[in-house]
Amino acid sequence: MPVDIRSTRLADCLITIEGFSGPLDLLLRLVEERRLPVTELSLVEVTDQFLAHLASLEDAPLELVADFTVVAARLIALKARALLPRPAEPEAPGEPEPDDLIRQLKLYQAFRDAAQELRLRELRGRRAYVRPAISPPSPARVKVIARDPASLLTALRRWHRRVEPRPVTLRLPPAISLRAMARRLLAGLRGGARTFRELVGRKADRRELAAGFLALLVLIRRGAVQAEQEVPFGEIMVTPRARPWREATADD
Amino acid sequence: MTDPPFDLAARLGALLFVSGEPVERAELINHLGCNETELDAALATLRERGPGLGLVLIEHSGAYQLATAPSLAELVEAFLGLDRPARLSAAALETLAIVAYRQPVTRAEIEAIRGVDSSAALQTLIARGLVEPVGRLPTVGQPIQYGTTVQFLQAFGLASLEELPDLPPEISEFLAEEGSQ
Amino acid sequence: MTDPPFDLAARLGALLFVSGEPVERAELINHLGCNETELDAALATLRERGPGLGLVLIEHSGAYQLATAPSLAELVEAFLGLDRPARLSAAALETLAIVAYRQPVTRAEIEAIRGVDSSAALQTLIARGLVEPVGRLPTVGQPIQYGTTVQFLQAFGLASLEELPDLPPEISEFLAEEGSQ
C-alpha cells in the first residue's frame, strides 16, 4: 500500500472506543478490511472524539473537517449497509453476500489509492503551463480590408459618446443639525402644545422628519417636553413642560 | 534571417505554438497536408525536441497542445507571479480519480463506488475546470457522463491519460467485466 | 512524463513560451539566476533549438520573444485564418483608434480609456500586424507600450501619422486626460 498521504491529518486524531484505540484513519481501514465489526462501532463516540480533537487545535483547518466528513460518511454508509435488513431476495447459494461487499471495498480502496497518487502529484506541484496568446506572425503578410482614416474618427466619436461623463445635477438640500432642529421644536412650543408635524413643518422631507424625531427624543429625555401618541402612526402631540430647563443640546 | 527548411515536426511545432488551445488531429492533418502516419511520426519527433525548450506535448482526446514541462512549474509560477491553487479535498480527489480512470462515467456510477453522495465533489471539480460533461448515457433519463479535461492533465503534470498509474490487475479485470455487461 | 534535467536554455525556453510578450534581459537573469554571459550562451542555444519547433528568437531593444519562423508565416496565417482579409470589429477599431492617437500606450491605459477589458482586441490588432510593442513604461512592472505599425498606415492609406484626421477639441482633450495616471 502506498504511503497514506491523505490521512496525515486524520492520523493525528486519536480515537479510543471499545475495541479500538488509535488514529481515526486506521479505524476506517480496519472497518473496511472487516477486522473491526462496524455494527459495534459507536459513530456518536467517534464523532464526539473528533470534535474534541478539533476543539484542541489552534485553528481548525478546513481540510481536516473535509477529510473527516469523508471518513464519517464512509463509516455511516458501511454501518447502514450492515444494519439494514436486506431486501428479500431468493437465496443465491453460490454467491454469498459478503463477497460482494468485499469486492465493493476493494474497488473503493483501489480508487482511494489512485486518489493518493494524484495527491502526491498535487503536492509535488508539477503543473504544466500553456501559452496565453498567439504570437504575432510576420505582419507584412497580414491582410486587413483597407479602411478610410475617417473610420478611426467615427470610432472615437462613438467611444466619446459612450464614456463621456454626463453632467450630473446634484441637489443637496441643506442639512439640518440635531441642535438646530431641537431649537426649532422648542421655538414652536412657545405658544403651547402642538403636533409633531406642525413643529417640524408640513413640508419637511424625510431627512428633516428623522432629525425632528431624534430631536424630540432628546428633548423628552431632558424633560423639556412630553409627547403622546394615541394610536400607532397617529399624530404625536408635544407639550412643553412647565419647569425651567437648560438650553437643549443634542451633543450630550 | 536565414531559414533552414522546416520539416513536418517543425511545422507542427509552429502551429501548436500559435494555438492557445489543443488542436485536433484532423485540423493538423488538414493544415500540414500529411497523413495519419506522418503526423504520428512528427508528433514523436516533437516530443523529443520539446524538452530542449523546456516544453512537453500534451494529448487530450485526439487533440494536441504544447505546454511547459511539469518539473519547471516552480520557475514558471514565480515568473508569472502565480499562486498555487488550493489543494483539493479528499472527497474531490477520490471523485477525480474515479472520473479519470472510469471516464466517461455518470454521477450514479461514481456514487456506487464511493458509497456516498458525490454531487458536491463533482461540482467542485467542474468549477475547477478539471472535469466536464462529455456526453449522455443512452438509457432512461439520459444521465450526464463526465470526463477529465486537458486542464486536469496540465494541473497534474500528465502528458496524457495513459500516464496514470495502472490500477491493480484484479480491479482492472473486475471493471472490465462490469463494463461489458 | 519522463524528466530530463533541463539546462539553462530549456528553462529560458519555458519562460519565453509562457510569456505572451517580449521579456527583458534583466528579468530573465533574475528568474533564471544566471549572469549575462550565461544568458547569452543560453540564448544562442535556444536560437539553434528553436527551428526544430518552427520557432525563432526575436530580439528587440534588449527584450526577447519566441515567434514562429518568418518562412512559416503562410502556414501559420492560414491556420489562424489570418490569410483572409478581415474586417475589424467595432471593439478592435476603437482600440486601434485609441492606440493611433494616444501612442505609445499601455494595455492598462487602453482599458482605462475604453472602460472594458481590451486584451482580446489588442491581440487581434497585434495578430493583424496593425499594432506592435514599441517600448516599456519606466514604472513598476514596466508595462509594455504599444504603437501602430507601418502596416497600419498602409491599411488606412496614410503616408504618416500626421495625416490622421484632426480630432474635435472635446474628444482630443478627453482622450488626453483619460487613463493618464
Side-chain angles (χ1 to χ4, degrees), chain A:
Chain A
M1 188 186 291
V3 189
D4 200 340
I5 296 292
R6 197 198 70 172
S7 65
T8 48
R9 286 186 292 259
L10 290 178
D12 293 338
C13 177
L14 300 178
I15 302 284
T16 305
I17 49 171
E18 201 172 326
F20 175 81
S21 180
L24 182 53
D25 197 63
L26 179 62
L27 174 70
L28 173 67
R29 205 177 303 154
L30 291 178
V31 168
E32 287 183 343
E33 288 166 9
R34 314 187 93 220
R35 286 199 263 155
L36 203 65
V38 71
T39 43
E40 285 164 29
L41 200 67
S42 166
L43 295 177
V44 173
E45 263 182 76
V46 172
T47 309
D48 281 350
Q49 291 185 25
F50 171 74
L51 291 176
H53 171 68
L54 205 58
S56 74
L57 297 177
E58 280 281 308
D59 47 345
L62 209 55
E63 295 93 348
L64 179 65
V65 182
D67 280 5
F68 177 72
T69 313
V70 174
V71 171
R74 191 78 197 147
L75 286 173
I76 291 167
L78 288 170
K79 186 162 179 173
R81 194 184 289 223
L83 288 177
L84 290 176
R86 301 189 201 297
E89 272 178 291
E91 294 279 321
E95 280 214 345
E97 168 74 18
D99 268 4
D100 203 37
L101 183 57
I102 289 171
R103 214 176 202 202
Q104 165 75 20
L105 285 175
K106 276 184 178 164
L107 187 59
Y108 174 69
Q109 187 67 47
F111 283 111
R112 223 169 64 119
D113 291 347
Q116 281 159 22
E117 284 292 324
L118 290 180
R119 177 69 88 204
L120 267 176
R121 283 188 164 269
E122 190 187 42
L123 286 175
R124 290 205 316 241
R126 304 193 32 193
R127 308 171 67 85
Y129 289 90
V130 295
R131 291 194 74 229
I134 58 168
S135 67
S138 59
R141 308 188 55 90
V142 175
K143 302 174 189 69
V144 178
I145 290 177
R147 302 284 303 245
D148 184 339
S151 64
L152 295 170
L153 195 51
T154 313
L156 282 180
R157 279 190 203 282
R158 220 181 299 128
W159 160 77
H160 189 246
R161 273 200 301 278
R162 193 180 77 229
V163 299
E164 183 198 27
R166 289 177 204 297
V168 179
T169 334
L170 272 181
R171 218 190 98 262
L172 290 175
I176 183 159
S177 74
L178 210 47
R179 185 195 288 256
M181 182 54 86
R183 276 205 214 96
R184 189 196 288 185
L185 297 190
L186 289 173
L189 287 170
R190 284 201 189 113
R194 307 270 301 271
T195 65
F196 174 68
R197 210 156 252 292
E198 284 168 342
L199 288 170
V200 181
R202 290 279 169 198
K203 279 183 276 178
D205 62 16
R206 289 169 55 154
R207 282 154 44 103
E208 283 179 295
L209 278 176
F213 192 69
L214 272 178
L216 179 63
L217 293 178
V218 168
L219 292 177
I220 292 169
R221 219 184 89 231
R222 301 188 147 275
V225 302
Q226 280 180 307
E228 275 176 275
Q229 184 179 36
E230 299 209 338
V231 290
F233 303 110
E235 283 286 8
I236 301 171
M237 184 54 76
V238 187
T239 319
R241 295 184 80 161
R243 72 178 178 81
W245 33 266
R246 55 193 164 101
E247 172 81 4
T249 57
D251 27 32
D252 56 10

Side-chain angles (χ1 to χ4, degrees), chain C residues 89 91-93 95 114 117-126:
Chain C
S89 70
L93 193 63
T95 306
R114 293 192 61 218
D117 181 276
S118 303
S119 50
L122 200 53
Q123 274 305 322
T124 304
L125 295 172
I126 294 170

